[in-house]
Amino acid sequence: MKRALISVYNKNEKLLDFSYFLDKKGYQIISTDGTYQYLKKNGISNIIKVSDVTCFPEILDGRLKTIHPNIFGGILANRYIEKHIKSIQSKKIFLIDIVVISFYPFFEKKNESIDFNSIIEFIDIGGPSLLRAAAKNFLHVTAITDNDDYSSVQKEICHYGTTSLSLRKKLAGKVFNFTAAYDSAISQHILNDKFPVYLHYSYKRRINLRYGENPHQEAAYYVSNIHRGAMRNFSQLHGKKLSFNNIKDMDVAWKVVSQFSEPACCTVKHSTPCGVALGKNVVEAFQKTYYADSISSFGGIMAFNTSITKELAKEINHIFLEVILAPGKYEEDVLRILKLKKNIRIISINEPISNKLEYIQIDGGILVQEPDIHNDEDYKIVTKKKFLDKEIRSLFFAQKVVKHVKSNAIVVAKGIQTLGISGGQTNRIWAARQAIDRALEKSKEDLVLVSDAFFPFRDVVDEAARSGGIRAILQPGGSLRDEESIKACDDYGIAMAFTGKRHFKH
């Protein structure tokens, strides 16, 4: 007689249908108490309890129920080795052909507000042990941890009387893939070490993406089983399938606007902000952002830190954007207007920014660091001229933007609106010239300049003076030639301060 061991935390219709199928095909089902009661109540006849196989009751409040030679012997026996078969027969151990397990929901419970001792009870021991045993012996045993695989198993049993080796091997691989993620989540929760000796991932595939950075590259998007975060829990309400680049740019845009309490708007293109502004309301924030760089906004990603109004939706429909994102629920009238654009991707953000660490994969390794969330407004005036109050507000607005621009990064702003952004250059003077020239196309007065790192030479100050409109500069300081830049500012009547904090973004 063929046998299936079934022990699951979540009992559902898929499980019941699969159990009916096995019962009909003559499998004897072995189950732990909770699963036994559920299946028995729903009409499964050929079923026995695990304790009937082990001749030992569940103990320790259910902590120990399946870990027993009568169970593991039936799963692990290599049926090609006569000695194995004789050994289990002498002990009256029955072979087990299918193992169906779902774990205690540690992933879910970890994010609930329950005490540490309670969460410990959701660390599954027997389930992973059973699945690992079944997966190790995939030459003979079918291991199932994903209820989406029930149909594949049923189909092969119907056609061949049993599962194929290729399917058993695939399912075994899925088992170890899942148990690794499960153990990783537990390890990180208990260890709570920012930089542990061994770095583990625990991510689950959420969607297959339209493509990667380029159309010939396949890509998928995974979300963390461990950490919360805005990009973990967004909803797409309309539009084409997302691409790799879309999600990267969404992340940057949302991080920028999330820094502000006033209505904020940000447009991102190729992972770099190209326009950012605050406004009295969200429409004004949008208009100022679009004006900041209407050329780069074409086909960009635009984020708002507040709800989109009907007036704003109409404005958005006059330009071409790939993605728009805003927090919370969209009003039906707003969605109706936005959906007039057939392909625009409409994203609802459901969680705030909560980055703990940043990971950058390189060939053969991975770099891990804390995110740059420093928003301290400490500074030291180093020039004869001091900042005006309106310049201070503008400078620290621009500093929140410059952190998200690829280094070397320069942001030129007027009030609470960027007018020139440049980054990703191999030297700072090129970035400064580009940012200043873009700003001068729109305004020639009351401008401020912020740099993500110190000025290695005075040439950036000279360039700022050439503009005629830049009256204040904020930079980290720390160059061997700081005095040259300070003197240049004094000569030109420009106020400058050092923050002591660099904001490189490679």
Side-chain angles (χ1 to χ4, degrees):
M1 178 185 293
K2 289 186 176 292
R3 294 173 183 83
L5 189 151
I6 303 178
S7 178
V8 297
Y9 186 87
N10 292 315
K11 290 94 175 164
N12 53 37
E13 286 297 317
K14 282 187 176 182
L15 173 73
L16 201 54
D17 290 343
F18 186 60
S19 300
Y20 284 143
F21 170 80
L22 294 177
D23 191 35
K24 184 179 177 182
K25 290 295 182 180
Y27 281 77
Q28 182 180 61
I29 295 175
I30 306 165
S31 288
T32 46
D33 282 355
T35 306
Y36 173 87
Q37 297 297 338
Y38 174 77
L39 296 178
K40 191 77 173 176
K41 183 177 71 174
N42 283 281
I44 302 298
S45 56
N46 191 11
I47 184 170
I48 60 173
K49 293 182 181 181
V50 163
S51 56
D52 294 331
V53 176
T54 62
C55 300
F56 201 91
E58 294 186 9
I59 62 171
L60 307 179
D61 297 321
R63 282 191 173 195
L64 187 61
K65 45 195 170 189
T66 56
I67 298 176
H68 193 280
N70 287 358
I71 297 295
F72 280 82
I75 296 172
L76 283 167
N78 187 330
R79 302 174 195 189
Y80 295 147
I81 301 175
E82 186 178 351
K83 183 180 177 181
H84 281 202
I85 300 302
K86 285 183 178 179
S87 177
I88 65 167
Q89 286 175 344
S90 69
K91 301 294 188 296
K92 297 182 179 178
I93 296 173
F94 301 116
L95 295 170
I96 296 173
D97 305 281
I98 296 175
V99 175
V100 181
I101 302 289
S102 74
F103 295 176
Y104 295 157
F106 181 84
F107 292 137
E108 294 81 359
K109 295 296 180 181
K110 179 191 67 62
N111 292 321
E112 295 179 7
S113 298
I114 58 178
D115 62 82
F116 187 79
N117 288 334
S118 297
I119 193 70
I120 290 295
E121 295 307 318
F122 289 96
I123 296 176
D124 205 321
I125 300 300
S129 301
L130 290 166
L131 271 180
R132 287 173 62 85
K136 175 176 179 175
N137 202 24
F138 70 85
L139 287 174
H140 310 287
V141 181
T142 305
I144 306 174
T145 187
D146 182 350
N147 59 27
D148 287 340
D149 292 319
Y150 293 156
S151 58
S152 299
V153 173
Q154 285 182 227
K155 188 181 296 183
E156 293 208 351
I157 291 175
C158 283
H159 286 167
Y160 312 119
T162 186
T163 53
S164 64
L165 177 59
S166 61
L167 178 59
R168 293 196 298 273
K169 183 179 179 182
K170 176 184 175 182
L171 296 181
K174 288 186 69 171
V175 164
F176 289 115
N177 182 254
F178 179 68
T179 57
Y182 190 80
D183 286 345
S184 175
I186 295 168
S187 165
Q188 292 189 46
H189 185 76
I190 295 175
L191 188 60
N192 197 27
D193 187 345
K194 190 178 294 180
F195 302 115
V197 175
Y198 296 99
L199 180 64
H200 303 290
Y201 282 129
S202 185
Y203 286 80
K204 183 176 182 180
R205 188 179 63 203
R206 177 171 170 182
I207 51 174
N208 288 319
L209 297 172
R210 193 166 177 228
Y211 48 74
E213 285 186 296
N214 298 288
H216 62 273
Q217 294 171 264
E218 294 184 4
Y221 178 54
Y222 290 77
V223 295
S224 175
N225 287 315
I226 301 167
H227 305 299
R228 293 181 178 276
M231 293 301 112
R232 178 181 180 272
N233 189 27
F234 65 81
S235 304
Q236 182 172 357
L237 308 178
H238 178 71
K240 293 186 293 187
K241 200 172 181 179
L242 290 164
S243 73
F244 182 96
N245 295 335
N246 291 153
I247 294 179
K248 281 191 69 177
D249 289 353
M250 284 163 51
D251 183 55
V252 175
W254 181 243
K255 284 174 179 172
V256 172
V257 298
S258 293
Q259 300 174 103
F260 303 104
S261 55
E262 304 108 305
C265 176
C266 171
T267 305
V268 168
K269 196 76 170 287
H270 301 296
S271 296
T272 296
C274 50
V276 184
L278 309 183
K280 295 189 295 290
N281 54 58
V282 71
V283 174
E284 183 184 58
F286 162 79
Q287 290 170 338
K288 289 165 70 176
T289 298
Y290 183 66
Y291 177 75
D293 192 345
S294 58
I295 295 174
S296 299
S297 290
F298 182 84
I301 276 69
M302 186 172 280
F304 303 90
N305 66 350
T306 187
S307 299
I308 295 175
T309 62
K310 285 194 288 184
E311 183 184 357
L312 175 57
K314 292 174 183 176
E315 294 256 10
I316 289 171
N317 276 5
H318 290 136
I319 63 176
F320 171 58
L321 296 170
E322 287 277 354
V323 182
I324 55 169
L325 53 151
K329 188 176 180 180
Y330 287 65
E331 292 182 4
E332 286 301 319
D333 286 350
V334 171
L335 276 178
R336 179 179 51 78
I337 294 168
L338 292 173
K339 286 180 178 179
L340 294 174
K341 291 270 190 175
K342 181 180 177 182
N343 292 323
I344 190 171
R345 301 162 178 89
I346 304 172
I347 305 295
S348 170
I349 298 292
N350 304 310
E351 290 191 29
I353 296 295
S354 58
N355 275 9
K356 303 295 182 185
L357 293 170
E358 294 177 339
Y359 305 86
I360 303 294
Q361 186 173 351
I362 58 174
D363 193 17
I366 192 164
L367 299 167
V368 184
Q369 69 171 357
E370 295 177 327
D372 184 6
I373 57 174
H374 177 80
N375 281 323
D376 190 2
E377 296 188 359
D378 287 342
Y379 64 94
K380 178 184 177 183
I381 293 284
V382 293
T383 53
K384 295 173 183 176
K385 187 177 180 183
K386 311 302 179 188
F387 291 153
L388 302 176
D389 287 344
K390 66 177 182 179
E391 291 170 344
I392 294 172
R393 188 184 186 203
S394 185
L395 286 163
F396 283 101
F397 159 76
Q399 188 192 51
K400 289 180 179 179
V401 177
V402 84
K403 294 191 310 182
H404 299 277
V405 180
K406 298 290 185 183
S407 56
N408 293 303
I410 298 289
V411 172
V412 177
K414 179 175 182 177
I416 44 178
Q417 176 187 27
T418 64
L419 293 183
I421 299 175
S422 184
Q425 300 294 328
T426 51
N427 66 68
R428 192 156 299 277
I429 187 61
W430 289 353
R433 284 171 181 163
Q434 288 185 2
I436 291 167
D437 287 346
R438 289 169 185 170
L440 292 176
E441 292 171 3
K442 307 170 193 77
S443 180
K444 292 181 171 58
E445 57 185 23
D446 296 328
L447 303 176
V448 301
L449 181 149
V450 175
S451 174
D452 66 342
F454 64 62
F455 299 160
F457 307 99
R458 61 171 280 165
D459 53 3
V460 174
V461 177
D462 293 332
E463 197 67 30
R466 178 185 64 82
S467 74
I470 293 174
R471 309 312 307 155
I473 294 173
L474 190 69
Q475 57 132 320
S479 168
L480 292 174
R481 293 184 170 88
D482 274 345
E483 290 302 323
E484 293 179 18
S485 295
I486 294 169
K487 184 180 183 305
C489 283
D490 286 338
D491 290 344
Y492 294 126
I494 295 173
M496 183 168 68
F498 293 166
T499 64
K501 289 286 191 302
R502 191 181 74 181
H503 293 288
F504 269 168
K505 185 175 180 64
H506 270 49

